[in-house]
Amino acid sequence: MAKKMHDTPMLDQLESGPWPSFVTGLKRLAKDNDMMVDLMGQLETSYRNTKGYWKGGTVGVFGYGGGVIPRFTELKDENEKPVFPAAAEFHTLRIQPPAGMHYNTDILRKFCDTWEKHGSGLIAFHGQSGDIMFQGVTTANVQPAFDELNEMGFDMGGAGPALRTSMSCVGAARCEMSNYDEAKALRTVINSNIDDMHRPALPYKFKFKFSGCANDCVNAIQRSDMAVIGTWRDNIRVNEALAKDYMAHHGMEKLVNDVISRCPTKALSLKNTSDVSKADGFCSVAVTDTQSLEIDNHNCVRCMHCLNVMPGALLPGMDKGATILVGGKSVLKIGATMGTVVIPFMKLESEEDFEALSELSRNILDFFAENALEHERTGEMIDRIGLVNFLEGVGLDIDANMILEPRSNPYARMDGWDEEVAKAEERKKKAAG
Amino acid sequence: MAEMRPPIESGAPDPMQYMHPVMVKNYGKWAFHDHPKPGVLRHRAENGDEIWTVKAGTQRQMDVYTIRLLCDIADKFADGHVRFTARSNIEYMVSDPAKVEPLIKALNDNGFPIGGTANSVSMISHTQGFLHCDIPGTDASGVVKALMDELYDEFINCEMPNRVKMSTSCCEINCGGQADIAIIMQHTKPPKINHDLVANVCERPSVVARCPVAAIRPALVNGKPSLEVDEKKCICCGACYPPCPPMQINDPEHSKLAIWVGGKNSNARSRPTFHKLVVSGLPNNAPRWPEVAVVVKNILSVYKADAQPWERMADWIDRIGWPRFFEKTGLPFTKYHIDDWRGSRATLNASAHIRF
Ligand code: HEM
Ligand code: SF4
Ligand code: SF4
Ligand code: SF4
Ligand code: SF4
């Protein structure tokens, strides 16, 4: 039997209403866990005073430099004693989930047993970087709790100036839009750079994220320093039975208004089936006995819209891979930045392809480690040094897909023009084989 | 001292050992999906195998009893497998369609809403707040619980023009992310400095370096080394507070909630965009933040009524223009909506394109 519950009139109000309530969960835990009784006391005080009462510190596990988020209470009485002593220490373990966040009930129950024994019993699935967050543990119990989780096959995630835990979409496991093996890519990149996660020594955080297509279900483009976003190079695949099925259910008006007219590059058109183009890059699918949807694949930007509206009728092509973007991040310093294309297309099929992805990740991490200022994210570094310097630093060729438009201001020295033209001709020759 | 146990540096675990067998079998071989009803998806593989997904909302911060309850349901109806989404919804996969309705019933009976698919308002992605962060101006789990109560019907139904992703963040660092509607704590006053503590707690040069507008200078206050802020320059971003907690930026009264719209990470139709400010100055009114809910529901209802099918919030505003957005929502347009930060001229209208 735990200690007496504190009055929590404000938190109590969060128990009403139809959505599942975390407060009800906290109360259930508090029935036989003193830490949760006092946690609720502190949380109620925060609600009453509109003020947070945690401060950081240093707590870790043997062998690693990061991954535990230490929290000590700042809510003290006049004698400097914690007002809620049982929750005076309330640390979080960031634990890396399986790629794609799949679980069976056996492993979830084991998590619960461990966290009930050593910690508060409160677990968040998941943080916005992907970690399973085991919330609420004393300093003394951090090591035994981690040891048990580690023995089950789970490893510490990232915190501090380090490589962070990664996320991949459900992708190949259950999505017809997937263009590469997201789980394999995540594990290849993260597990071969794992030292940078466990021993924080980078200028600041670095995140990788893996989405199987441009729908970008795990928000790689805005929230990762290196985003791997699946795409394809050849023609959209079509399935006539499903296309006709779409028409039967939705009709011509929707095909025109919802599919064709929303294509951002006007790559779609409605044609008499007898008139569809047979030229390179064009494909089509019959939607009625006489009419077809025609796709100009060279002008398709793989935005995913038409595939989303007509699932299965239109599918990614066969020549699959990924676009790599670098420098997405949230605010601080220069404000939020979007990832920038650094490789328009990278094949991701063979072992060598995954090897190349791993090598690229290593090069970018190394360049970041050597060239970013303290507390500077990759996006800010690129902002400071310019994209061209970044590309030269990591050994990537320039490509016109990296820009929206060429410079419009004349303020630049261009006396190396002739050499650059020669390089451009060289690249063209190389591409032509 | 006892022998220390060296960690097993296993990194990210292999998901195959936990994945539903039908998904393992058809990994990378899916061909089609549809959406039989809100919260339910049906995927079909190339070989005709099918898997049904039932998506339920959770409170994200879950106690072990809740997790065990979710496990019991998975054992009974879903072959013991689940997965979580990036927005903390739980997904049950079943290969037998006859189990879909009993599974939905079991989840509903235990208080878990079914929804969050397609053109619904999905679970709000959120941050740590009072429960665990050291710099929050408000809570996170509580704000989300309060708002999801209000948006419950939009979660379990699919009545929006396209999917709506929301996020909340308890300070301007915005761990919550970009979203169609983002609710973010916004500081409105410069930090209040406790000069007695600065010298002991803060590495002064690195605090000075953090300020994006160079408003912080080293200073001697009462004979002690401290810092001072040029309050005219200060933009109240709060960047100085994490490395120097004596520069208190949170203020129970003056830290306000701001609402931003039109962010999306998907590339579908338009390029990904960041969300933009539409409302600020909402009170930080725990435990239910009713003023925030009023504004959010208003924006959602105007979007629902006015946008065309498949238009995300950003696509809709692109079509009707920002003046019309403010007109239709009745929200005031102020000088604070006109950006004056770096690169701001790109956000001004340099054309004669005006809608009447
Ligand atoms: C000081 C205390 C902070 C705490 C307790 C905190 C807490 C968190 C947590 C719990 C997450 C989710 C983590 C995960 O999934 O593994 C997160 C994500 C994030 N944090 Fe923080 N954070 C802090 C400071 C910062 C700072 C200084 C920044 C500066 C930019 C920041 C930016 C972010 C971003 C961008 C994400 C989301 C990343 C993504 O979507 O992958 N946070 N934060
Ligand atoms: S990002 Fe694309 S491939 Fe991945 S789950 Fe989303 S739609 Fe599917
Ligand atoms: S995927 Fe291509 S064809 Fe389809 S809407 Fe997008 S740009 Fe147009
Ligand atoms: S948004 Fe701010 S207060 Fe909230 S968890 Fe992130 S850093 Fe902490
Ligand atoms: S709040 Fe931001 S702008 Fe103001 S002094 Fe601190 S770092 Fe500078």
Side-chain angles (χ1 to χ4, degrees), chain A residues 313-356:
Chain A
L314 305 177
L315 286 169
M318 302 294 283
D319 187 11
K320 296 175 181 184
T323 301
I324 312 289
L325 303 97
V326 169
K329 62 168 220 41
S330 189
V331 294
L332 283 195
K333 287 250 158 96
I334 63 169
T337 58
M338 204 79 75
T340 299
V341 172
V342 299
I343 300 183
F345 186 83
M346 185 170 185
K347 199 78 190 147
L348 270 183
E349 267 168 16
S350 66
E351 286 306 319
E352 293 81 68
D353 296 338
F354 281 89
E355 195 74 19

Side-chain angles (χ1 to χ4, degrees), chain A residues 47 71 135 199 216 223, chain B residues 9 61 132 139 174 265:
Chain A
Y47 269 64
R71 287 293 174 251
Q135 299 180 299
R199 290 161 199 92
D216 195 4
R223 283 305 179 90
Chain B
E9 299 201 43
Q61 331 262 9
H132 210 254
D139 197 29
N174 185 24
N265 53 292

